[in-house]
Amino acid sequence: MKIKFRKITALAAALGVSALLYTAPAQADSVHIAGETTTYYTLSNHYGISVDKLMNANPSIAASNIYPGLRLTVPGITNAKMVAAEPSAKSSSEASILSVEPKSNTVQAWGKEFNYGKVMQVKATAYSSAISENGSWGAVDYFGNPLKLGTIAVDPSIIPLGTKVLVTGYSHPGLPKQAFLATAMDTGSAIKGNRIDIFIPGSQSFVSDFGFQYVQLFFIE
């Protein structure tokens, strides 16, 4: 939703195995459905694959945004029978319940607890990696890093670049249910005031279904 002619300045792990696994033929990649405590580190230990290889196989998934029900690619599984059967995970709708404790300034999402300093309601849009939305700079954030799930564009005078927030109150199939952890790493000419633009991996038409939504931000300390 944003016209990203925005680069005015210079381009300035314990994961549980309580998940389901879908396997493919020999030498093909497999898909692991994340559980409540899944991380790249625990996947690495479970499958005997380096963390770097797992992260390279899932470039749009930040380590901080692994949530129950997320499909993670496990590269190079040579024999499906080598993969141990795992107990079923809770459904993502059950495991991703959001709980806020204002008295202690804590918020819980998909089994993780965060301390927050303040809460802000903002108007949100979403953008994809399409050239028409990113201009000649390509699908990178303000600092030149590849766009990924968890990247948001902000007005730095309202939300300083580098700020971490838990985003809640939205609805879109390309985002984690109920909440996801984001970092203000991008800007946009149309993103002014109490506005954010959320990067969502996928086609431009898929991302555009997000439209305009009001979301709640918990500023993580």
Side-chain angles (χ1 to χ4, degrees):
M1 291 296 299
K2 115 183 123 180
I3 301 173
K4 291 177 65 185
F5 299 108
R6 65 186 188 285
K7 303 297 188 300
I8 299 175
T9 61
L11 285 179
L15 173 133
V17 295
S18 57
L20 298 173
L21 177 70
Y22 293 84
T23 55
Q27 301 299 329
D29 293 345
S30 295
V31 174
H32 185 104
I33 307 302
E36 292 185 61
T37 57
T38 298
T39 65
Y40 282 124
Y41 178 74
T42 53
L43 278 180
S44 173
N45 288 339
H46 185 64
Y47 293 110
I49 299 171
S50 72
V51 171
D52 285 345
K53 285 185 178 180
L54 286 165
M55 294 184 73
N56 288 338
N58 299 276
S60 65
I61 301 173
S64 59
N65 273 321
I66 296 176
Y67 58 92
L70 181 67
R71 297 170 67 87
L72 291 154
T73 298
V74 181
I77 295 296
T78 57
N79 189 334
K81 294 180 181 179
M82 293 174 60
V83 180
E86 299 181 69
S88 297
K90 293 180 181 179
S91 69
S92 58
S93 59
E94 176 186 358
S96 59
I97 293 174
L98 184 69
S99 175
V100 181
E101 295 292 341
K103 291 183 179 179
S104 59
N105 276 36
T106 59
V107 56
Q108 293 185 3
W110 14 267
K112 301 177 183 179
E113 184 174 275
F114 305 91
N115 294 315
Y116 67 89
K118 66 176 180 178
V119 182
M120 179 186 295
Q121 186 180 64
V122 298
K123 188 175 183 179
T125 50
Y127 66 110
S128 70
S129 58
I131 294 176
S132 60
E133 295 183 82
N134 293 277
S136 60
W137 297 102
V140 295
D141 63 26
Y142 181 82
F143 300 99
N145 303 305
L147 296 173
K148 61 185 180 182
L149 180 65
T151 298
I152 58 172
V154 300
D155 179 344
S157 69
I158 304 297
I159 302 174
L161 290 170
T163 299
K164 291 186 180 297
V165 295
L166 189 69
V167 185
T168 69
Y170 55 82
S171 177
H172 191 278
L175 293 172
K177 289 190 176 181
Q178 296 195 14
F180 71 98
L181 192 63
T183 305
M185 295 291 286
D186 211 354
T187 62
S189 60
I191 308 306
K192 302 298 180 185
N194 285 18
R195 284 281 311 277
I196 66 169
D197 209 10
I198 301 170
F199 173 73
I200 300 178
S203 68
Q204 191 170 17
S205 59
F206 172 71
V207 174
S208 67
D209 287 341
F210 184 93
F212 290 91
Q213 299 183 35
Y214 283 93
V215 302
Q216 193 114 332
L217 305 181
F218 291 85
F219 286 68
I220 304 303
E221 295 184 327

mmCIF file of all heavy atoms in Angstrom, residues 173-198:
data_model
loop_
_atom_site.group_PDB
_atom_site.id
_atom_site.type_symbol
_atom_site.label_atom_id
_atom_site.label_comp_id
_atom_site.label_asym_id
_atom_site.label_seq_id
_atom_site.Cartn_x
_atom_site.Cartn_y
_atom_site.Cartn_z
ATOM 1 N N PRO A 173 -3.988 -13.917 6.297
ATOM 2 C CA PRO A 173 -3.423 -15.273 6.297
ATOM 3 C C PRO A 173 -1.912 -15.324 6.124
ATOM 4 O O PRO A 173 -1.296 -16.362 6.394
ATOM 5 C CB PRO A 173 -4.135 -15.955 5.115
ATOM 6 C CG PRO A 173 -4.574 -14.826 4.237
ATOM 7 C CD PRO A 173 -4.917 -13.700 5.168
ATOM 8 N N GLY A 174 -1.301 -14.222 5.693
ATOM 9 C CA GLY A 174 0.145 -14.210 5.507
ATOM 10 C C GLY A 174 0.918 -13.838 6.753
ATOM 11 O O GLY A 174 2.152 -13.789 6.740
ATOM 12 N N LEU A 175 0.205 -13.588 7.851
ATOM 13 C CA LEU A 175 0.832 -13.196 9.110
ATOM 14 C C LEU A 175 0.501 -14.206 10.198
ATOM 15 O O LEU A 175 -0.531 -14.868 10.136
ATOM 16 C CB LEU A 175 0.351 -11.803 9.540
ATOM 17 C CG LEU A 175 0.783 -10.634 8.672
ATOM 18 C CD1 LEU A 175 0.060 -9.359 9.104
ATOM 19 C CD2 LEU A 175 2.294 -10.433 8.736
ATOM 20 N N PRO A 176 1.365 -14.307 11.224
ATOM 21 C CA PRO A 176 1.060 -15.181 12.358
ATOM 22 C C PRO A 176 -0.276 -14.811 12.981
ATOM 23 O O PRO A 176 -0.652 -13.637 13.008
ATOM 24 C CB PRO A 176 2.210 -14.911 13.338
ATOM 25 C CG PRO A 176 3.331 -14.434 12.465
ATOM 26 C CD PRO A 176 2.679 -13.651 11.367
ATOM 27 N N LYS A 177 -0.986 -15.784 13.484
ATOM 28 C CA LYS A 177 -2.283 -15.503 14.089
ATOM 29 C C LYS A 177 -2.109 -14.704 15.380
ATOM 30 O O LYS A 177 -1.281 -15.027 16.211
ATOM 31 C CB LYS A 177 -3.033 -16.805 14.376
ATOM 32 C CG LYS A 177 -3.529 -17.492 13.113
ATOM 33 C CD LYS A 177 -4.464 -18.638 13.433
ATOM 34 C CE LYS A 177 -5.033 -19.246 12.156
ATOM 35 N NZ LYS A 177 -5.967 -20.351 12.449
ATOM 36 N N GLN A 178 -2.865 -13.670 15.511
ATOM 37 C CA GLN A 178 -3.013 -12.843 16.702
ATOM 38 C C GLN A 178 -1.843 -11.908 16.994
ATOM 39 O O GLN A 178 -2.062 -10.796 17.445
ATOM 40 C CB GLN A 178 -3.281 -13.700 17.943
ATOM 41 C CG GLN A 178 -4.587 -14.461 17.869
ATOM 42 C CD GLN A 178 -5.021 -15.000 19.208
ATOM 43 O OE1 GLN A 178 -4.515 -14.613 20.242
ATOM 44 N NE2 GLN A 178 -5.960 -15.918 19.186
ATOM 45 N N ALA A 179 -0.607 -12.319 16.772
ATOM 46 C CA ALA A 179 0.511 -11.442 17.144
ATOM 47 C C ALA A 179 1.791 -11.863 16.436
ATOM 48 O O ALA A 179 1.981 -13.035 16.119
ATOM 49 C CB ALA A 179 0.727 -11.472 18.652
ATOM 50 N N PHE A 180 2.664 -10.903 16.180
ATOM 51 C CA PHE A 180 4.011 -11.222 15.716
ATOM 52 C C PHE A 180 4.964 -10.129 16.176
ATOM 53 O O PHE A 180 4.577 -8.995 16.426
ATOM 54 C CB PHE A 180 4.071 -11.399 14.191
ATOM 55 C CG PHE A 180 3.919 -10.131 13.387
ATOM 56 C CD1 PHE A 180 5.025 -9.449 12.896
ATOM 57 C CD2 PHE A 180 2.657 -9.627 13.091
ATOM 58 C CE1 PHE A 180 4.885 -8.284 12.143
ATOM 59 C CE2 PHE A 180 2.502 -8.468 12.345
ATOM 60 C CZ PHE A 180 3.624 -7.797 11.867
ATOM 61 N N LEU A 181 6.220 -10.511 16.325
ATOM 62 C CA LEU A 181 7.251 -9.582 16.764
ATOM 63 C C LEU A 181 7.836 -8.884 15.541
ATOM 64 O O LEU A 181 8.191 -9.535 14.560
ATOM 65 C CB LEU A 181 8.353 -10.335 17.511
ATOM 66 C CG LEU A 181 9.364 -9.504 18.291
ATOM 67 C CD1 LEU A 181 8.688 -8.730 19.415
ATOM 68 C CD2 LEU A 181 10.466 -10.403 18.859
ATOM 69 N N ALA A 182 7.896 -7.569 15.584
ATOM 70 C CA ALA A 182 8.376 -6.792 14.438
ATOM 71 C C ALA A 182 9.419 -5.771 14.882
ATOM 72 O O ALA A 182 9.471 -5.381 16.048
ATOM 73 C CB ALA A 182 7.213 -6.074 13.760
ATOM 74 N N THR A 183 10.238 -5.357 13.917
ATOM 75 C CA THR A 183 11.243 -4.333 14.163
ATOM 76 C C THR A 183 11.076 -3.233 13.130
ATOM 77 O O THR A 183 10.902 -3.512 11.939
ATOM 78 C CB THR A 183 12.674 -4.910 14.069
ATOM 79 O OG1 THR A 183 12.790 -6.025 14.953
ATOM 80 C CG2 THR A 183 13.702 -3.863 14.464
ATOM 81 N N ALA A 184 11.106 -2.005 13.580
ATOM 82 C CA ALA A 184 11.005 -0.850 12.671
ATOM 83 C C ALA A 184 12.310 -0.721 11.899
ATOM 84 O O ALA A 184 13.300 -0.202 12.414
ATOM 85 C CB ALA A 184 10.727 0.411 13.475
ATOM 86 N N MET A 185 12.317 -1.213 10.674
ATOM 87 C CA MET A 185 13.534 -1.235 9.862
ATOM 88 C C MET A 185 13.364 -0.532 8.524
ATOM 89 O O MET A 185 14.272 -0.546 7.699
ATOM 90 C CB MET A 185 13.959 -2.684 9.605
ATOM 91 C CG MET A 185 14.381 -3.442 10.853
ATOM 92 S SD MET A 185 15.938 -2.843 11.544
ATOM 93 C CE MET A 185 17.097 -3.522 10.340
ATOM 94 N N ASP A 186 12.204 0.092 8.306
ATOM 95 C CA ASP A 186 11.938 0.672 7.004
ATOM 96 C C ASP A 186 11.151 1.966 7.162
ATOM 97 O O ASP A 186 10.603 2.261 8.234
ATOM 98 C CB ASP A 186 11.144 -0.320 6.152
ATOM 99 C CG ASP A 186 11.439 -0.193 4.669
ATOM 100 O OD1 ASP A 186 12.170 0.734 4.295
ATOM 101 O OD2 ASP A 186 10.926 -1.024 3.903
ATOM 102 N N THR A 187 11.117 2.737 6.095
ATOM 103 C CA THR A 187 10.355 3.984 6.065
ATOM 104 C C THR A 187 9.589 4.041 4.751
ATOM 105 O O THR A 187 9.796 3.213 3.860
ATOM 106 C CB THR A 187 11.280 5.214 6.161
ATOM 107 O OG1 THR A 187 12.157 5.232 5.019
ATOM 108 C CG2 THR A 187 12.109 5.185 7.439
ATOM 109 N N GLY A 188 8.721 5.016 4.612
ATOM 110 C CA GLY A 188 7.983 5.168 3.366
ATOM 111 C C GLY A 188 7.427 6.564 3.242
ATOM 112 O O GLY A 188 7.066 7.185 4.246
ATOM 113 N N SER A 189 7.367 7.070 2.033
ATOM 114 C CA SER A 189 6.907 8.436 1.819
ATOM 115 C C SER A 189 5.474 8.645 2.279
ATOM 116 O O SER A 189 5.079 9.754 2.651
ATOM 117 C CB SER A 189 7.035 8.800 0.334
ATOM 118 O OG SER A 189 6.261 7.926 -0.476
ATOM 119 N N ALA A 190 4.663 7.569 2.263
ATOM 120 C CA ALA A 190 3.263 7.684 2.670
ATOM 121 C C ALA A 190 3.048 7.302 4.134
ATOM 122 O O ALA A 190 1.934 7.383 4.637
ATOM 123 C CB ALA A 190 2.387 6.794 1.782
ATOM 124 N N ILE A 191 4.094 6.897 4.809
ATOM 125 C CA ILE A 191 3.979 6.438 6.195
ATOM 126 C C ILE A 191 4.343 7.589 7.116
ATOM 127 O O ILE A 191 5.518 7.802 7.460
ATOM 128 C CB ILE A 191 4.871 5.208 6.454
ATOM 129 C CG1 ILE A 191 4.595 4.131 5.409
ATOM 130 C CG2 ILE A 191 4.622 4.661 7.846
ATOM 131 C CD1 ILE A 191 3.131 3.724 5.297
ATOM 132 N N LYS A 192 3.342 8.350 7.509
ATOM 133 C CA LYS A 192 3.538 9.523 8.358
ATOM 134 C C LYS A 192 2.592 9.471 9.555
ATOM 135 O O LYS A 192 1.445 9.044 9.422
ATOM 136 C CB LYS A 192 3.281 10.816 7.563
ATOM 137 C CG LYS A 192 4.168 10.975 6.324
ATOM 138 C CD LYS A 192 5.644 11.054 6.691
ATOM 139 C CE LYS A 192 6.502 11.215 5.439
ATOM 140 N NZ LYS A 192 7.952 11.180 5.769
ATOM 141 N N GLY A 193 3.084 9.923 10.699
ATOM 142 C CA GLY A 193 2.257 9.940 11.902
ATOM 143 C C GLY A 193 2.073 8.547 12.476
ATOM 144 O O GLY A 193 2.964 7.695 12.402
ATOM 145 N N ASN A 194 0.904 8.294 13.047
ATOM 146 C CA ASN A 194 0.615 6.996 13.669
ATOM 147 C C ASN A 194 0.217 5.972 12.599
ATOM 148 O O ASN A 194 -0.928 5.550 12.493
ATOM 149 C CB ASN A 194 -0.503 7.143 14.704
ATOM 150 C CG ASN A 194 -0.016 7.815 15.975
ATOM 151 O OD1 ASN A 194 1.040 8.461 15.993
ATOM 152 N ND2 ASN A 194 -0.777 7.696 17.044
ATOM 153 N N ARG A 195 1.195 5.608 11.793
ATOM 154 C CA ARG A 195 1.008 4.673 10.689
ATOM 155 C C ARG A 195 2.142 3.670 10.692
ATOM 156 O O ARG A 195 3.265 3.990 11.068
ATOM 157 C CB ARG A 195 1.042 5.419 9.345
ATOM 158 C CG ARG A 195 -0.192 6.212 8.997
ATOM 159 C CD ARG A 195 -1.299 5.324 8.464
ATOM 160 N NE ARG A 195 -0.853 4.410 7.423
ATOM 161 C CZ ARG A 195 -0.723 4.714 6.129
ATOM 162 N NH1 ARG A 195 -1.023 5.927 5.703
ATOM 163 N NH2 ARG A 195 -0.323 3.809 5.269
ATOM 164 N N ILE A 196 1.876 2.464 10.264
ATOM 165 C CA ILE A 196 2.933 1.506 9.973
ATOM 166 C C ILE A 196 2.575 0.795 8.680
ATOM 167 O O ILE A 196 1.409 0.764 8.273
ATOM 168 C CB ILE A 196 3.151 0.469 11.097
ATOM 169 C CG1 ILE A 196 1.929 -0.454 11.250
ATOM 170 C CG2 ILE A 196 3.514 1.141 12.412
ATOM 171 C CD1 ILE A 196 2.191 -1.665 12.152
ATOM 172 N N ASP A 197 3.575 0.260 8.022
ATOM 173 C CA ASP A 197 3.388 -0.555 6.827
ATOM 174 C C ASP A 197 4.074 -1.889 7.118
ATOM 175 O O ASP A 197 5.253 -1.920 7.477
ATOM 176 C CB ASP A 197 4.008 0.132 5.617
ATOM 177 C CG ASP A 197 3.309 -0.217 4.316
ATOM 178 O OD1 ASP A 197 2.244 -0.831 4.362
ATOM 179 O OD2 ASP A 197 3.836 0.145 3.254
ATOM 180 N N ILE A 198 3.350 -2.976 7.000
ATOM 181 C CA ILE A 198 3.840 -4.299 7.373
ATOM 182 C C ILE A 198 4.277 -5.063 6.127
ATOM 183 O O ILE A 198 3.495 -5.215 5.180
ATOM 184 C CB ILE A 198 2.734 -5.093 8.090
ATOM 185 C CG1 ILE A 198 2.273 -4.347 9.352
ATOM 186 C CG2 ILE A 198 3.218 -6.497 8.439
ATOM 187 C CD1 ILE A 198 1.011 -4.941 9.978
#
